[in-house]
Amino acid sequence: MLVVALLFCGPGAGRALAVCASPAGNAGDIYYNTTSKIVQYCNGTSWIATGKGPGTGGGCASPAGAAGDIFYNTTSRVPQFCNGNEWVAMGPVGGAAKGAWKQVSAGLWNTCAVKTNGALYCWGSDSDGQLGNGATTGNQTSPVQESTAATDWASVSVGATHTCAVKTNGTLYCWGDDTYGELGNGATTGDQASPVQESTAATDWASVSAGVDHTCAVKTNGTLYCWGENFDDQLGTGGSDAVSPTQEFTAATDWVSVSAGTTHTCAVKTNGTLYCWGNDATGQLANGAGGDQAFATQESTAATNWASVSAGVDHTCAVKTNGTLYCWGADGNGQLGNGATTGNQVNPVQESTAATNWASVAAGDIHTCAVKTNGTLYCWGDDTNGQIGNGTTGGRQVSPVQESTAATDWASVAVD
């Protein structure tokens, strides 16, 4: 379950590390300043304003994007932002130190991360080949590079016992458990201990999200595909299990991001609307009425300012463009953060602090974590094993609680 942060590290590996302050960032990072409403990038010394953020234009093409979106152009090797009508270059910029970590994804029993040099490493359980290191080698307590040793990975998403990742050339690979076709390689071929390309060999994948037994991904043209188990209609196709990428039923071309949970899926469109489908036993689809949905169904408030979404096990959380944060679904352990264990919620409920500076959120099993635009990190929900990070264990937290170090340089968070 992947979390996207406002800070984006460019791949300019090999240059010296340089730091910008307020917020802390490395050369090449991109940041949306919610106070001045502008996009900024770190040139190695200071944050430089690049232009206006979200506007009122109709959007950008090649790839499809909404006003304020940020895109790294792998051809010209510069970050770009959508000014509402066209992609505008934001570079040139510097790069983070070689070997630095760029993005991380935590699954059920393992973790994977991409470095700024494009290399991909995994660690933890390797029971089904989900580490991608060429063999089921048992638990790995240190990062192990995937078997191809490629240096062109862009992002990675870890599910329960499988992993998927997108390369900078737009190709998509998966590895690990393939019981239900969640690797998308055209057949249930059994465990795969090395990266296997999805069966269509497409070169226009933008992002991927690995759930428990299914996977979903968005293309640069705004279409959305899912594959794997469909017992709870989590593929949104109206069909059965799929061993190859299958387009969601509406065939929309304006999807911007997707999050695959355990038995449900949620996605955001370029116009800021949010849709979910699949299992709704605890209200995790937020359709106001309950009941499983085989096709993309809009959340009950019909808001048009959703920025990102994270689908957990039995609950879902999302951040709006105004920096507010809402959750819905199961709340038996306070994982909705609304100040009490209120039971299932079938509509979006704002977290109890009503803060307006949330940047990103990650919904796990029975706890949730989120990062603010000021670089602070908060968690809430079950704390049996210290997963809230506030220096204690046991009990539950029903409202956002800051992690114990009170650091102000967190960029992103991943939970499961």
Side-chain angles (χ1 to χ4, degrees), residues 172-200:
L172 190 156
Y173 292 75
C174 296
W175 53 94
D177 182 36
D178 196 33
T179 302
Y180 299 97
E182 54 264 57
L183 303 189
N185 63 346
T188 51
T189 52
D191 295 353
Q192 297 293 317
S194 293
V196 178
Q197 190 170 13
E198 54 81 27
S199 60
T200 71

Side-chain angles (χ1 to χ4, degrees), residues 9-414:
C9 298
R15 298 191 180 187
L17 177 67
V19 177
C20 294
S22 299
N26 296 329
D29 286 355
I30 296 169
Y31 170 69
Y32 179 68
N33 189 315
T34 57
T35 302
S36 55
K37 305 294 184 184
I38 56 174
V39 178
Q40 298 174 302
Y41 76 91
C42 176
N43 69 354
T45 304
S46 57
W47 291 105
I48 304 299
T50 60
K52 295 180 179 179
T56 58
C60 299
S62 300
D69 283 354
I70 295 169
F71 167 68
Y72 184 74
N73 189 315
T74 56
T75 302
S76 56
R77 297 191 180 280
V78 296
Q80 298 173 307
F81 78 94
C82 176
N83 67 359
N85 299 293
E86 61 182 352
W87 291 105
V88 178
M90 298 174 63
V93 297
K98 185 176 181 179
W101 298 105
K102 179 174 68 171
Q103 182 252 327
V104 63
S105 178
L108 187 59
W109 292 304
N110 70 292
T111 305
C112 293
V114 176
K115 289 193 172 186
T116 53
N117 64 3
L120 191 156
Y121 291 75
C122 297
W123 56 96
S125 172
D126 197 30
S127 59
D128 295 271
Q130 60 263 49
L131 302 189
N133 62 349
T136 51
T137 51
N139 296 342
Q140 297 293 317
T141 58
S142 297
V144 178
Q145 190 170 14
E146 53 82 26
S147 61
T148 70
T151 56
D152 59 347
W153 297 106
S155 64
V156 64
S157 179
V158 180
T161 52
H162 79 290
T163 304
C164 293
V166 175
K167 290 195 172 189
T168 56
N169 63 3
T171 55
L172 190 156
Y173 292 75
C174 296
W175 53 94
D177 182 36
D178 196 33
T179 302
Y180 299 97
E182 54 264 57
L183 303 189
N185 63 346
T188 51
T189 52
D191 295 353
Q192 297 293 317
S194 293
V196 178
Q197 190 170 13
E198 54 81 27
S199 60
T200 71
T203 58
D204 58 349
W205 296 107
S207 63
V208 64
S209 179
V212 171
D213 292 317
H214 78 293
T215 307
C216 292
V218 174
K219 290 193 172 188
T220 55
N221 63 2
T223 55
L224 190 157
Y225 293 75
C226 295
W227 54 94
E229 185 185 33
N230 199 38
F231 181 80
D232 291 280
D233 295 314
Q234 59 264 50
L235 301 188
T237 60
S240 56
D241 295 357
V243 297
S244 292
T246 304
Q247 190 169 12
E248 54 83 26
F249 183 80
T250 70
T253 58
D254 58 349
W255 298 107
V256 66
S257 65
V258 64
S259 179
T262 297
T263 54
H264 76 292
T265 303
C266 293
V268 176
K269 290 194 172 188
T270 55
N271 63 2
T273 55
L274 190 155
Y275 293 74
C276 295
W277 54 93
N279 189 326
D280 195 38
T282 59
Q284 60 264 52
L285 304 189
N287 61 6
D292 295 357
Q293 298 294 322
F295 312 117
T297 304
Q298 190 170 10
E299 55 81 26
S300 59
T301 70
T304 58
N305 62 340
W306 296 106
S308 63
V309 64
S310 177
V313 175
D314 294 317
H315 78 292
T316 306
C317 293
V319 174
K320 290 191 173 186
T321 55
N322 61 5
T324 56
L325 190 156
Y326 292 75
C327 296
W328 53 91
D331 194 33
N333 289 275
Q335 58 263 50
L336 302 190
N338 62 347
T341 52
T342 50
N344 298 344
Q345 296 293 316
V346 297
N347 297 300
V349 178
Q350 190 170 11
E351 54 80 27
S352 60
T353 70
T356 57
N357 62 339
W358 296 107
S360 63
V361 64
D365 183 356
I366 48 179
H367 80 291
T368 305
C369 293
V371 175
K372 289 191 173 186
T373 56
N374 62 4
T376 55
L377 189 154
Y378 292 74
C379 296
W380 54 94
D382 181 62
D383 194 34
T384 303
N385 298 295
Q387 55 264 55
I388 303 301
N390 63 341
T392 63
T393 60
R396 59 173 68 100
Q397 298 293 328
V398 297
S399 293
V401 177
Q402 190 170 11
E403 53 80 30
S404 59
T405 70
T408 58
D409 56 351
W410 296 104
S412 65
V413 63

